[in-house]
Amino acid sequence: MSTYYVTTPIYYVNARPHLGHAYTTIIADTLKRFYSLLGTDARMLTGTDEHGDKIVKAAIKENKSPKEFVDGISAEYKALWQDLKIDYDQFIRTTDENHKKSVQALLQKIYDKGDIYFGEYGGHYCFGCERFYTEKELEDGLCPQHKTKPEYISEKNYFFKMSKYQDWLKQYILDNPDFIRPERYRNEVLAMLEGNVLEDLCISRPKSRLEWGIELPFDKDYVCYVWFDALANYISALGWGNEDNSQNFEKYWPASHLVAKDILKPHGIFWPTMLKAADLPIYQNLNVHGYWLVKDTKMSKSLGNVVDPRFAAEYFGLDAFRYFLLRDMHFGSDASYSEENLISRINSDLANDLGNLFSRVLSMNAKYFAKKVPSLGTLTADDENIFSCVQNAAQNYLQLFKEVRFSQGLDGLWEPIRLMNKYVDSQAPWTLYKEGNIERLGTVLRVLLENMYKIAVLLWPVMPDSSIKMQEQLGKKFTLHAKLIDDLLNCNVHLRTDFEISEASNLFPRFEKPVEEKKEEKVKKEKKSENKKDIVQETQLIEFADFQKLDLRVGTILTAEQHPDADKLLKFEVDLGEEKPRQIISGIAKFFNPTELIGQKVVVVANLPPRKLRGLESQGMILTAEKGEHLSLLSSVAPNGSKIA
C-alpha cells in the first residue's frame, strides 16, 4: 500500500468536544502514524459538520447567527486537537466554499444520472437526528436515539433512489468481509438490508423551513440534507468536484473511515450507495467503535458525566492517556472510563512494566559500564528467547493494528516487556558484576537495550513523545524512513557499542489516587481539622532497655528496583559494612523513584528476624520519617556499619 487515507467523522458543532470525539481522533492519529511507520504516505482528515436544524436552534439559544456560532465551536475542536498534538493533514468545515462546490457537483452528477427525483413524503421527523423515521424504525413510537416522539411532517422534497442499490450493497458487503469491521457491525448492516426494504432517502429541506445549508444546484428553493452534505466531505477534502484541485483524490482515495456505532447506518448504507450512484470507487474500510461509558452510562451533558479529555491529558500525561484509550477499549465494544481505571493502567503497564524496565537497565548500565553501550557477546538460549519473543510480538502487533485491534496488539507487545523484567531477575547482573563476569554482564545488558529500542520504536504511533524520548535515552534519533520497520525486525543490532547513553529514565510516574477521590479526602481533612479542639495526642513511653534492643546501622543503598510482584514494594541491596550486602524489602514505592536512591546513605534496623514479603526475603528495615503526605529517608554521614546508639 503506497498511500493510506484515514478520516474521522466530521463532528457536529451543536455541542463542544468531549472524550468520545477525542478517542476517535486519537485513533485516527495513531493509524496515520502507524502507516507512516510502515513507510506509507499516510494522510489524515478531520473537521466539523456545520449545517442543519440543530445548529440554527443552538445559535438562537446563544443569541448568535449560525455562522458566528459554528465559527466558535469549530475553533474549539481545532484548539483541542492542537493540545492533544493531533497530526492531521486537513481540517475541513462544511461551510468551506470548496466543500460546497463538491457537494453540488455530487448532487448534480447523481441527479443527471436519474437517481434523484422530486416527490411528496410524509414521515416521522426527529429534529435531534435531522432525519425521517419509518414506523418500523421507531421504538414504542419514539426516536431510538433520543427517546423523544418525532414530529409528523408532510412536505415535497427531493429523494435519492437508495433502494435501487440495496441488492448491490448487500452483495458487496458479503464479497468484502473487511469492508465493515468489526464483524458485529457488518452483520448489523446486513440485518438492516435483509430485514427491511431499503427506502429512498430524502436529501433536501425546503428553504421555507430551513435556509442554513448548501443550496441544491438544480433547485434554488431547497438546501441539501445535512447527512448528504456531511458524508461528501471525505471526497471534497481531496478536491473531488473541483477540477483545479483533484490530484489528491486520485492519489489517496479510497479512504479508511473511523466512526462511532451511533452513525453506522449513514456510513454503512447512505454513503456507499451515494458513491455507487456517482460511479465513484467505494471506500476501503468502515471501522466502527463503541461508546466510552461513565459508571455504565453513556456520557451526557444533562447527566453531568462528560469527561474533559484536555484535563485527563494534562494531569496524567498525554501519552499515558493515549495508551489507556487504546489499551482499555476493545475496538468495537463499549468501555468504561474512570480515573481509577486510568491510574491502574498507568501504574501497572507504564510505571511497573515499561518504566521500571528502562529505569533499572539504564541505571545498571551506568553503574557497570559508565553509561557506555556494552558489546554483544555469545548468546545463550535465554538471550535468544528474548529476541524471539520481541520478534513474534512485534509481528503480531503490526498485524493486529492493521485489523484495528489495538488493545490486543498492545497486550501482546507487553509480553516481552514483562519477560525482560523477569530476565533481569534471572540473569542477576549485580551477581555477574560481583563475580567479575563482565563479558556475560555486558551481553545481558546489550540484549535488554537492543530489545528495549525495538519496543520504543513500535510504540511511536501510540505514545509518540515517550517513544522518541525512550529512543533518545538509548542514543538513537527517531527518523521515519521507508525501511525502518524492515530493518527493525530483520536485524538484532541497532545501538552503537561504546556509545554513551542515558543513566536514568523516569518517563512514567506512578499515580496514587483519582483526582476526585483526593478532593473528597481534602474536604474531609479540612472538616476534621475544624472540629479538632484541644486534642492532645499522648505518646506511648518505653523503657531505655527496649531502645537498647534495637541494632541501628548506617548503610549505603547499592541497588534499588521495583519488587517484581508488588506495586507498593521496592527491593534494595544495602551495604552495612558486612561481608555481603543485605536484601531489604520496603513498602515505600509510591514515594520514591528507585534509581534516585542508589548511593544514598540510610539507617537500617539490622536485628529484625528475616521475613518474606511477596516471595522475597527482607533482612532488615530502612527507617523513614513521615510528615503529612511526605516521606523522607533517615540518613547519616557515618561510615557503613556504624551503630547508632
Side-chain angles (χ1 to χ4, degrees):
M1 184 189 299
S2 59
T3 63
Y4 178 77
Y5 177 41
V6 62
T7 73
T8 72
I10 48 174
Y11 302 114
Y12 205 44
V13 293
N14 66 318
R16 285 158 178 81
H18 56 63
L19 177 65
H21 304 117
Y23 172 74
T24 313
T25 311
I26 286 172
I27 291 291
D29 178 84
T30 299
L31 283 169
K32 181 198 169 177
R33 294 176 189 272
F34 173 74
Y35 280 97
S36 298
L37 192 66
L38 298 181
T40 302
D41 180 1
R43 183 179 182 86
M44 176 188 165
L45 172 72
T46 190
T48 46
D49 181 6
E50 303 179 11
H51 290 128
D53 288 316
K54 285 190 286 187
I55 301 300
V56 175
K57 290 182 178 180
I60 292 172
K61 189 175 181 181
E62 293 198 14
N63 197 29
K64 295 178 180 178
S65 70
K67 186 66 168 67
E68 289 173 330
F69 178 79
V70 299
D71 284 350
I73 303 296
S74 184
E76 289 189 30
Y77 277 89
K78 271 192 170 182
L80 178 59
W81 301 159
Q82 182 177 356
D83 290 344
L84 297 183
K85 298 183 180 179
I86 302 298
D87 186 26
Y88 61 79
D89 295 277
Q90 186 175 352
F91 187 100
I92 192 170
R93 300 177 60 184
T94 54
T95 50
D96 293 341
E97 288 303 317
N98 285 338
H99 172 73
K100 293 178 182 179
K101 290 178 183 177
S102 291
V103 171
Q104 290 176 330
L106 183 65
L107 285 162
Q108 191 67 55
K109 186 170 185 178
I110 298 175
Y111 180 80
D112 291 343
K113 189 177 179 180
D115 280 349
I116 292 177
Y117 64 90
F118 190 68
E120 187 168 356
Y121 180 79
H124 304 280
Y125 188 78
C126 173
F127 284 91
C129 297
E130 300 196 46
R131 58 161 289 199
F132 287 100
Y133 280 97
T134 65
E135 290 281 358
K136 290 182 180 179
E137 290 176 314
L138 297 178
E139 296 178 359
D140 298 323
L142 303 178
C143 164
Q145 288 291 328
H146 294 89
K147 307 303 179 186
T148 56
K149 187 174 181 179
E151 183 179 336
Y152 189 86
I153 294 177
S154 179
E155 62 187 15
K156 292 181 179 180
N157 267 308
Y158 286 90
F159 295 83
F160 164 51
K161 292 182 181 178
M162 193 164 63
S163 59
K164 173 181 175 181
Y165 298 98
Q166 176 170 344
D167 293 340
W168 164 81
L169 179 57
K170 178 181 175 182
Q171 193 59 49
Y172 188 87
I173 294 172
L174 292 171
D175 292 342
N176 296 274
D178 287 337
F179 179 58
I180 300 173
R181 54 191 189 180
E183 185 180 7
R184 60 189 291 187
Y185 297 109
R186 174 177 176 266
N187 294 336
E188 191 173 324
V189 172
L190 285 172
M192 292 179 196
L193 295 172
E194 292 170 357
N196 298 300
V197 175
L198 196 62
E199 294 189 346
D200 291 343
L201 181 67
C202 178
I203 61 162
S204 69
R205 300 291 183 264
K207 282 187 177 179
S208 59
R209 181 159 65 83
L210 176 68
E211 292 188 1
W212 183 244
I214 297 175
E215 191 177 85
L216 298 187
F218 41 79
D219 194 329
K220 308 301 182 185
D221 293 329
Y222 288 83
V223 295
C224 181
Y225 169 44
V226 66
W227 266 114
F228 198 102
D229 165 8
L231 291 165
N233 92 91
Y234 303 126
I235 59 174
S236 72
L238 297 178
W240 186 88
N242 291 277
E243 295 181 2
D244 298 333
N245 190 32
S246 61
Q247 64 273 15
N248 279 337
F249 180 78
E250 301 297 330
K251 183 177 181 180
Y252 291 103
W253 189 259
S256 186
H257 297 315
L258 280 168
V259 298
K261 64 182 181 180
D262 58 339
I263 51 176
L264 172 62
K265 185 173 183 179
H267 284 83
I269 294 180
F270 298 179
W271 184 221
T273 55
M274 288 164 58
L275 289 167
K276 181 67 175 175
D279 298 317
L280 293 173
I282 311 306
Y283 57 77
Q284 181 184 356
N285 302 114
L286 180 63
N287 304 292
V288 187
H289 67 76
Y291 295 141
W292 279 100
L293 307 178
V294 177
K295 295 181 179 178
D296 299 323
T297 304
K298 184 183 175 184
M299 282 183 292
S300 166
K301 187 176 179 181
S302 61
L303 294 176
N305 64 349
V306 175
V307 175
D308 178 5
R310 184 181 279 105
F311 169 78
E314 288 176 352
Y315 186 83
F316 296 103
L318 176 56
D319 279 2
F321 179 59
R322 286 173 63 108
Y323 175 79
F324 167 77
L325 294 180
L326 271 79
R327 180 64 183 83
D328 267 46
M329 176 179 275
H330 284 254
F331 193 87
S333 302
D334 293 342
S336 179
Y337 179 91
S338 69
E339 287 188 352
E340 291 91 337
N341 292 346
L342 178 51
I343 289 172
S344 176
R345 181 64 68 187
I346 291 173
N347 287 349
S348 63
D349 291 12
L350 299 183
N352 290 1
D353 294 337
L354 183 60
N356 184 44
L357 177 65
F358 267 75
S359 176
R360 66 199 303 207
V361 173
L362 288 176
S363 64
M364 284 189 291
N365 187 72
K367 178 180 178 182
Y368 302 139
F369 291 97
K371 300 188 285 186
K372 302 286 184 66
V373 176
S375 299
L376 185 66
T378 303
L379 299 182
T380 67
D382 287 340
D383 305 335
E384 296 282 7
N385 184 45
I386 295 295
F387 280 108
S388 176
C389 184
V390 171
Q391 178 81 0
N392 292 335
Q395 290 174 336
N396 289 335
Y397 168 84
L398 296 174
Q399 182 57 42
L400 288 166
F401 263 51
K402 291 175 183 177
E403 298 170 3
V404 295
R405 296 168 64 190
F406 309 109
S407 180
Q408 295 94 323
L410 288 169
D411 185 37
L413 194 62
W414 245 248
E415 289 183 16
I417 294 172
R418 297 186 185 103
L419 179 64
M420 281 189 273
N421 272 311
K422 292 179 181 178
Y423 172 84
V424 172
D425 296 331
S426 66
Q427 300 300 314
W430 45 89
T431 301
L432 294 173
Y433 181 75
K434 290 175 189 174
E435 294 172 348
N437 195 348
I438 304 304
E439 182 179 351
R440 177 60 191 157
L441 171 62
T443 297
V444 168
L445 292 181
R446 183 64 177 267
V447 167
L448 289 163
L449 292 168
E450 289 288 351
N451 286 285
M452 286 157 55
Y453 169 69
K454 291 183 179 182
I455 296 294
V457 173
L458 291 168
L459 284 173
W460 179 71
V462 180
M463 299 189 292
D465 288 348
S466 298
S467 167
I468 291 171
K469 288 175 183 176
M470 286 187 284
Q471 292 176 63
E472 289 174 346
Q473 289 172 354
L474 297 170
K476 297 286 285 186
K477 182 179 179 181
F478 178 69
T479 305
L480 282 173
H481 60 84
K483 298 293 183 181
L484 177 59
I485 289 298
D486 287 343
D487 292 345
L488 191 77
L489 298 184
N490 294 325
C491 181
N492 283 343
V493 178
H494 300 276
L495 308 181
R496 289 167 52 189
T497 301
D498 290 333
F499 190 81
E500 187 172 300
I501 60 177
S502 296
E503 61 184 319
S505 177
N506 187 26
L507 291 176
F508 305 110
R510 293 176 56 81
F511 288 87
E512 298 173 35
K513 295 179 181 179
V515 178
E516 289 305 317
E517 192 174 328
K518 282 187 174 182
K519 289 179 181 176
E520 291 174 4
E521 286 188 358
K522 184 178 179 182
V523 171
K524 288 180 181 178
K525 283 183 178 180
E526 288 173 351
K527 289 182 178 178
K528 189 174 181 181
S529 178
E530 289 173 3
N531 294 331
K532 277 186 176 181
K533 292 182 180 179
D534 302 323
I535 297 177
V536 178
Q537 294 183 338
E538 294 184 0
T539 302
Q540 186 177 0
L541 301 177
I542 63 170
E543 297 295 331
F544 180 67
D546 294 327
F547 173 74
Q548 286 182 307
K549 293 177 183 178
L550 295 176
D551 183 6
L552 303 180
R553 302 274 178 173
V554 176
T556 300
I557 295 175
L558 301 178
T559 66
E561 58 192 57
Q562 187 75 42
H563 189 296
D565 298 315
D567 293 348
K568 297 180 180 180
L569 301 179
L570 294 181
K571 183 178 77 169
F572 298 96
E573 283 191 346
V574 182
D575 181 1
L576 294 178
E578 300 169 328
E579 185 177 345
K580 62 179 183 178
R582 295 270 193 113
Q583 177 173 281
I584 298 177
I585 312 300
S586 180
I588 58 176
K590 70 178 182 178
F591 296 100
F592 300 102
N593 176 0
T595 58
E596 295 175 352
L597 300 180
I598 296 174
Q600 186 163 329
K601 289 275 192 177
V602 291
V603 177
V604 173
V605 181
N607 61 336
L608 291 173
R611 58 175 295 200
K612 281 198 172 184
L613 296 174
R614 289 293 185 95
L616 296 181
E617 185 175 81
S618 183
Q619 302 165 333
M621 180 173 69
I622 295 174
L623 293 183
T624 61
E626 183 177 1
K627 184 174 183 181
E629 295 184 0
H630 299 285
L631 196 73
S632 303
L633 296 180
L634 289 188
S635 186
S636 171
V637 295
N640 292 344
S642 299
K643 184 172 181 178
I644 295 177

